[in-house]
Amino acid sequence: MKILTVAGARPQFIKVAAVSRILRTKATEVLVHTGQHYDANMSDIFFEELDIPYPNYNLGISGGTHGHMTGAMLSAIEDILIIEKPDVLLVYGDTNSTLAAALAAVKLQIPVCHVEAGNRLGTFSNPEEINRICTDHVATLLLSCTQSGMDFLKKENLGSRSKLVGDPMYDAFIYYGEKSANRAVCDLVDFSGKKIDIPEMYYYLTCHREENTKNDEALKEIFIAMNSLDALTIYPVHPRNKERAERLCYENNFKNIILAQPVGYLTSIYLIKHAKKVVSDSGGVQREAFFAKKPSVTIFDYIGWPETMVNNCNILSKANATEILEKLSINPCFDDDYKPFGDGHASEKIVKELLKM
Ligand code: UD1
Ligand code: UDP
């Protein structure tokens, strides 16, 4: 069986790492990197650290408007599908790379398997929601990480094509967790490339959503909150808002925020595990904080991962300094027996379902 996998963004490389390791023992995999994320610390570092096989194709498509990026990917992926003739197209998550690949395959009557199917925010103001819904509706096999994802799929009459498998991000967290245990793996550097010492006590911040970075307003509110906390904040900055983050910190003298270059997966997991609390707008980071039993506040208007929100483990906040501080002052209660993201073997289940297709 020949599976063609398309990935292009940081969180997808992590999911590919977990699944491909098993998939390649049972089937032939052709890996296509769209090029959506291309800086070494947004792409290469994940392939190196997580032993992901080198992609068979790299399309080198990135940036621009959503339509231009998705359209260019659609056209280039179609050409590859025609050459490779895979039995199944495998895609992950909700990026423009996911949607472009799913559309290219379904138009060629190639069955699509979508991993991380069923997440819904309930608004098209979020660009990823459009990608998720369109991908789910053209897919033949929908593999969901959680029961809430399954419930959304059933509501949209997609239940008969859907299966609950668990979260490959949880698999990765467990499998690579050991490697991230040592502070020596941490590679935290500032924008000039100078090594940053990790303080004993710190908060971990990630922020990259279009909704929180398209103007100064939201990011400044987040920085006001983080700057006034009782410990420093470590913030590895996504390239989309490097200029804005640097300028806001400089103009407002936010001395308690340590801006760093994006880090690799092992460093990110280390920083989550050892932080006082985590503040993020990332789908992946809010789950990883939950896996690590670390209290977190998610800066967003919509709930993405409801299972993380029980007992205040992860609390939603608007991008408002007062609200963020109020939410950060709440202490959650983690239940060791509650495991809504599966048993750490989602990847095996994903491969099993793929082979049945
Ligand atoms: C994308 C996904 C989002 C995911 C995120 C993971 C879409 C619509 N969104 O958002 O779901 O959470 O990836 O991080 O696909 N850039 C660089 N260097 C890079 C990568 C990006 O400079 O290595 C710049 C791009 O040129 C672009 C901007 O950052 O101008 C945004 O990148 P893009 O891939 O469009 O969206 P993300 O915000 O990364
Ligand atoms: N991450 C990373 N380096 C960073 C920031 C995040 O490796 O500088 C990891 C993080 O631990 C998680 C994944 O990237 O595993 C989440 O990706 P991102 O936040 O970019 O996307 P999302 O999950 O929101 O789609």
Side-chain angles (χ1 to χ4, degrees), residues 8-11 35-43 62-64 66 69 94-97 127-128 131-132 208-210 213 238-241 281-283:
R10 175 166 71 184
Q36 181 169 346
H37 287 175
Y38 51 89
D39 291 343
N41 51 23
M42 295 291 288
S43 175
S62 61
H66 287 280
M69 191 202 295
D94 53 17
T95 70
N96 291 342
S97 300
E128 287 81 19
N131 296 342
R132 285 180 206 115
H208 71 280
R209 293 261 155 241
E210 194 165 290
T213 60
H238 186 292
R240 77 178 299 141
N241 57 344
D281 60 6
S282 157

Side-chain angles (χ1 to χ4, degrees), residues 247-267:
R247 181 174 45 76
L248 283 175
C249 279
Y250 177 74
E251 283 173 2
N252 297 282
N253 204 19
F254 291 140
K255 289 230 163 77
N256 297 332
I257 298 172
I258 302 173
L259 299 182
Q261 293 192 28
V263 294
Y265 178 73
L266 300 181
T267 301

Side-chain angles (χ1 to χ4, degrees), residues 40-322:
N41 51 23
M42 295 291 288
S43 175
D44 297 359
I45 191 168
F46 296 93
F47 285 79
E48 286 153 17
E49 273 189 355
L50 309 181
D51 270 334
I52 307 169
Y54 199 71
N56 302 78
Y57 299 86
N58 190 323
L59 308 179
I61 299 167
S62 61
T65 61
H66 287 280
H68 271 105
M69 191 202 295
T70 311
M73 287 174 183
L74 172 62
S75 161
I77 294 167
E78 184 179 67
D79 291 345
I80 294 171
L81 290 172
I82 289 169
I83 296 167
E84 293 287 346
K85 298 185 183 50
D87 297 299
V88 177
L89 171 91
L90 173 61
V91 284
Y92 297 88
D94 53 17
T95 70
N96 291 342
S97 300
T98 313
L99 175 63
L103 287 178
V106 74
K107 292 260 183 187
L108 293 171
Q109 308 291 315
I110 295 169
V112 175
C113 171
H114 184 208
V115 173
E116 216 176 273
N119 280 68
R120 295 292 182 266
L121 303 181
T123 172
F124 277 152
S125 66
N126 171 252
E128 287 81 19
E129 181 89 345
I130 302 161
N131 296 342
R132 285 180 206 115
I133 292 183
C134 295
T135 303
D136 280 345
H137 281 260
V138 300
T140 305
L141 177 63
L142 296 97
L143 300 179
S144 177
C145 300
T146 56
Q147 187 54 49
S148 63
M150 286 298 286
D151 295 343
F152 279 119
L153 294 171
K154 278 182 197 144
K155 269 191 212 146
E156 293 174 25
N157 290 324
L158 298 171
S160 61
R161 282 139 64 184
S162 306
K163 193 111 196 174
L164 179 61
V165 288
D167 187 355
M169 288 293 266
Y170 185 45
D171 295 14
F173 180 83
I174 292 171
Y175 186 80
Y176 298 103
E178 288 280 293
K179 285 192 184 182
S180 77
N182 188 340
R183 185 171 278 234
V185 303
C186 285
D187 196 12
L188 191 68
V189 294
D190 68 15
F191 293 126
S192 69
K194 205 169 110 228
K195 193 166 168 48
I196 300 169
D197 288 329
I198 299 169
E200 261 326 295
M201 299 271 266
Y202 63 88
Y203 292 87
Y204 185 51
L205 169 69
T206 79
C207 175
H208 71 280
R209 293 261 155 241
E210 194 165 290
E211 291 89 329
N212 286 333
T213 60
K214 65 181 173 216
N215 54 39
D216 283 5
E217 213 179 301
L219 196 59
K220 189 170 170 188
E221 285 289 318
I222 296 168
F223 281 176
I224 292 171
M226 301 313 291
N227 195 59
S228 69
L229 288 166
D230 56 346
L232 296 172
T233 289
I234 297 178
Y235 175 26
V237 186
H238 186 292
R240 77 178 299 141
N241 57 344
K242 172 177 180 285
E243 181 277 330
R244 195 183 300 286
E246 278 191 302
R247 181 174 45 76
L248 283 175
C249 279
Y250 177 74
E251 283 173 2
N252 297 282
N253 204 19
F254 291 140
K255 289 230 163 77
N256 297 332
I257 298 172
I258 302 173
L259 299 182
Q261 293 192 28
V263 294
Y265 178 73
L266 300 181
T267 301
S268 186
I269 295 299
Y270 180 94
L271 290 171
I272 291 169
K273 283 182 175 171
H274 295 87
K276 270 191 90 163
K277 294 195 177 187
V278 174
V279 176
S280 164
D281 60 6
S282 157
V285 173
Q286 62 182 285
R287 266 131 81 207
E288 288 161 350
F290 180 81
F291 303 156
K293 298 192 171 46
K294 204 49 78 171
S296 70
V297 171
T298 294
I299 316 279
F300 214 51
D301 287 345
Y302 302 91
I303 294 175
W305 294 93
E307 283 82 357
T308 62
M309 302 225 152
V310 295
N311 298 336
N312 291 325
C313 295
N314 175 22
I315 309 177
L316 209 60
S317 173
K318 296 214 180 298
N320 169 278
T322 313

Side-chain angles (χ1 to χ4, degrees), residues 314-333:
N314 175 22
I315 309 177
L316 209 60
S317 173
K318 296 214 180 298
N320 169 278
T322 313
E323 188 179 339
I324 295 169
L325 290 172
E326 189 190 308
K327 299 285 167 71
L328 272 171
S329 71
I330 299 170
N331 284 315
C333 166

